[in-house]
């Protein structure tokens, strides 16, 4: 058993839920990319006629990003120090590419972007709780390194 953090807060551990969400979203992206590369092109009807749109190139990019998201989700579960920023970047890129493919699979895109958004939010909360959030980690601690407040400040003690 671990020692509880001061104030009764739970010490940050490994983000297992985030890893599971990222792995699930990455696998969905991989499977949909595989289906898009082996399927027939999409037909788009416009006022000038019907056009066939082949999204095989986008699907290959989508598959590569899905593989990166899956691997970053597995890496986050290990709890190593540098995996959170990598997972945040992979999830952001994955969400953007998913949103670009919204016209072709809107329901799947909404579900997967929801998984990405949840994972990003949990990763940011984990990062803040672990103390690696920089300015987002909480109020400044007084000490030698912090400057005195200006004379007109209501927080000035003297």
């Amino acid at each position: 058993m671990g020692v509880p953090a001061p104030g009764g807060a739970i010490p940050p551990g490994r983000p297992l839920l985030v890893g599971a969400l990222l792995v699930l979203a990455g696998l969905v992206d991989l499977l949909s990319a595989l289906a898009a590369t082996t399927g027939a092109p999409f037909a788009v009807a416009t006022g000038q006629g019907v056009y066939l749109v082949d999204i095989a190139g986008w699907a290959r990019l989508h598959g590569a990003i899905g593989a990166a998201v899956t691997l970053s989700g597995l890496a986050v579960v290990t709890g190593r120090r540098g995996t959170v920023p990598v997972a945040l970047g992979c999830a952001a890129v994955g969400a953007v590419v998913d949103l670009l493919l919204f016209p072709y699979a809107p329901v799947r895109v909404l579900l997967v972007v929801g998984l990405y958004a949840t994972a990003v939010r949990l990763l940011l909360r984990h990062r803040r709780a672990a103390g690696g959030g920089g300015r987002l980690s909480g109020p400044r601690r007084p000490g030698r390194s912090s400057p005195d407040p200006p004379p007109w400040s209501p927080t000035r003690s003297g």
Side-chain angles (χ1 to χ4, degrees):
M1 289 293 230
V3 178
I10 299 171
R14 295 180 182 171
L16 298 175
L17 178 62
V18 174
L21 289 174
L22 287 175
V23 167
L24 179 65
L27 288 176
V28 168
D29 282 346
L30 274 171
L31 292 175
S32 66
L34 180 67
T37 56
T38 60
F42 287 93
V44 178
T46 65
Q48 287 86 21
V50 176
Y51 298 100
L52 293 177
V53 179
D54 189 16
I55 61 167
W58 280 102
R60 288 185 188 103
L61 174 70
H62 199 68
I65 291 172
V69 168
T70 303
L71 291 176
S72 70
L74 292 173
V76 163
V77 173
T78 64
R80 300 249 174 163
R81 186 172 186 183
T83 57
V84 172
V86 171
L88 281 170
C90 287
V93 170
V96 168
V97 170
D98 267 329
L99 288 173
L100 289 174
L101 293 173
F102 181 77
Y104 300 105
V107 174
R108 185 198 58 81
V109 167
L110 288 177
L111 291 174
V112 173
V113 169
L115 288 174
Y116 281 138
T118 304
V120 165
R121 181 169 185 232
L122 290 174
L123 276 173
L124 290 174
R125 289 180 75 188
H126 172 75
R127 187 174 172 190
R128 188 178 304 158
R135 293 184 147 213
L136 299 175
S137 63
R140 286 190 335 199
R141 286 176 262 156
R144 289 182 59 123
S145 63
S146 63
D148 290 334
W152 61 85
S153 174
T155 60
R156 188 168 179 97
S157 59

